[in-house]
Every structure is written in C-alpha cells, then in structure tokens.
C-alpha cells in the first residue's frame, strides 16, 4: 500500500482499539490524521476522524473538516453522523435531524448498532424541536434495532 494508506490503517486501528481515549493522546491522534492528509488530501474518512478528535480536544476546525469529508464522500454515514453530533453540540437540532436522516438513508450496509444510534439521536433532535410524533416513530424503530443489539436492553 501507499504510505498514506499504511498511516491511515494504523490511525483507524488505534481509533477502534481506544488507544487515544485518554485526553492526553488527542494531539497524537490529530497529528497522525494530519500526516495522512498531507500525503493524501483526498482521504475523506481521515477528515472525518480528525474532526472527531478535534471535537474531543475542543479544537477549532471541526466543522470545516466535516465539510471537507462530505465534499469528498457525500454519502458517508460516518461523516453525516459526526456532523449530526456536531450540530447537537451547538443545539442546532433541525440541522442535526437532517444529518442523522441523511446518514440513515445511506446506512443500508451499516451494522444495526450504528443504525440504532443514528435513529436514537435523530429522535432526540426531533424531541428538542417538539416533533413528538416523529420522535416516537424513531423510538419504535430504534427498539427494533436494539432488540438484536447486545449493548441495548
């Protein structure tokens, strides 16, 4: 593989192994994704993951990284999900609902656990906009998804 692919694989492996969970390692995560993007500025997932770590570190540039990820991969479930979380953090519930809806639309090949969180977060954004009937539909849907999810009772 190319150098950027090897670095990206390492970064994603470290992400899923929770290596960067401690607050002290967030700069390391951001730096590794910076390096991936220096080598390949067209790696949309690297922008999405870097945005995730920038958000955890309370750094600027989260929205611009997510916008770049979505410009490169408009159907990315990950990028739309993270953009939804970004909008929730800003209390922009209408935009959050929209991002979660787009992620759900493109989540056909996504595990049910991911779909569960997408639907639950869309329900929350709907509740915050007084869209109770739509939120209840989402809650019913999430219960169906959660029934096969060992992490959800």
């Amino acid at each position: 593989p190319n150098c950027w692919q090897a670095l990206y694989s390492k970064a994603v492996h470290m992400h899923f192994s929770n290596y960067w969970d401690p607050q002290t390692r967030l700069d390391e995560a951001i730096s590794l994704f910076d390096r991936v993007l220096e080598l390949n500025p067209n790696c949309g997932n690297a922008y999405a993951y870097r945005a995730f770590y920038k958000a955890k570190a309370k750094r600027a540039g989260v929205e611009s990284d997510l916008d770049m990820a979505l410009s490169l991969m408009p159907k990315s479930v990950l990028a739309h999900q993270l953009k939804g979380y970004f909008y929730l953090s800003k209390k922009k519930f209408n935009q959050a609902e929209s991002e979660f809806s787009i992620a759900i639309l493109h989540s056909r090949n996504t595990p049910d656990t991911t779909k569960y969180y997408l639907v639950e977060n869309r329900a929350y954004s709907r509740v915050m906009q007084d869209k109770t009937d739509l939120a209840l539909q989402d809650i019913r849907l999430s219960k169906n998804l959660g029934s096969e999810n060992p992490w959800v009772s």
Side-chain angles (χ1 to χ4, degrees):
N2 293 332
C3 183
W4 77 267
Q5 289 171 318
L7 272 176
Y8 177 76
S9 294
K10 175 184 177 182
V12 171
H13 170 74
M14 293 171 91
H15 169 78
F16 284 108
S17 67
N18 293 320
Y19 176 80
W20 288 314
D21 250 6
Q23 192 71 23
T24 56
R25 294 188 177 147
L26 297 178
D27 288 338
E28 182 184 345
I30 294 165
S31 294
L32 189 52
F33 285 108
D34 285 344
R35 182 71 180 125
V36 169
L37 290 165
E38 285 173 19
L39 296 170
N40 181 2
N42 294 316
C43 184
N45 277 334
Y47 285 103
Y49 283 116
R50 186 173 71 176
F52 173 81
Y53 287 106
K54 283 181 176 180
K56 284 184 79 156
K58 296 181 176 24
R59 287 239 204 119
V62 174
E63 188 171 22
S64 61
D65 275 0
L66 291 171
D67 289 342
M68 185 59 112
L70 288 167
S71 73
L72 293 167
M73 305 176 328
K75 295 181 180 182
S76 168
V77 173
L78 173 66
H80 283 289
Q81 180 180 21
L82 293 175
K83 188 90 182 241
Y85 291 144
F86 172 78
Y87 283 134
L88 283 181
S89 75
K90 302 294 182 191
K91 297 184 178 358
K92 295 182 176 182
F93 302 113
N94 187 47
Q95 292 97 322
E97 176 188 3
S98 175
E99 292 298 332
F100 290 125
S101 293
I102 295 167
I104 291 164
L105 178 69
H106 297 300
S107 69
R108 186 169 44 108
N109 298 320
T110 310
D112 279 354
T113 51
T114 301
K115 290 178 190 173
Y116 171 84
Y117 291 111
L118 292 171
V119 173
E120 282 284 305
N121 281 291
R122 183 175 68 180
Y124 174 73
S125 63
R126 287 175 166 176
V127 164
M128 297 308 291
Q129 298 173 77
D130 293 323
K131 297 180 178 179
T132 310
D133 291 340
L134 291 173
L136 287 172
Q137 289 175 19
D138 280 347
I139 291 167
R140 283 188 209 98
L141 176 59
S142 72
K143 295 301 177 201
N144 290 337
L145 294 168
S147 64
E148 296 180 22
N149 179 352
W151 302 105
V152 178
S153 57

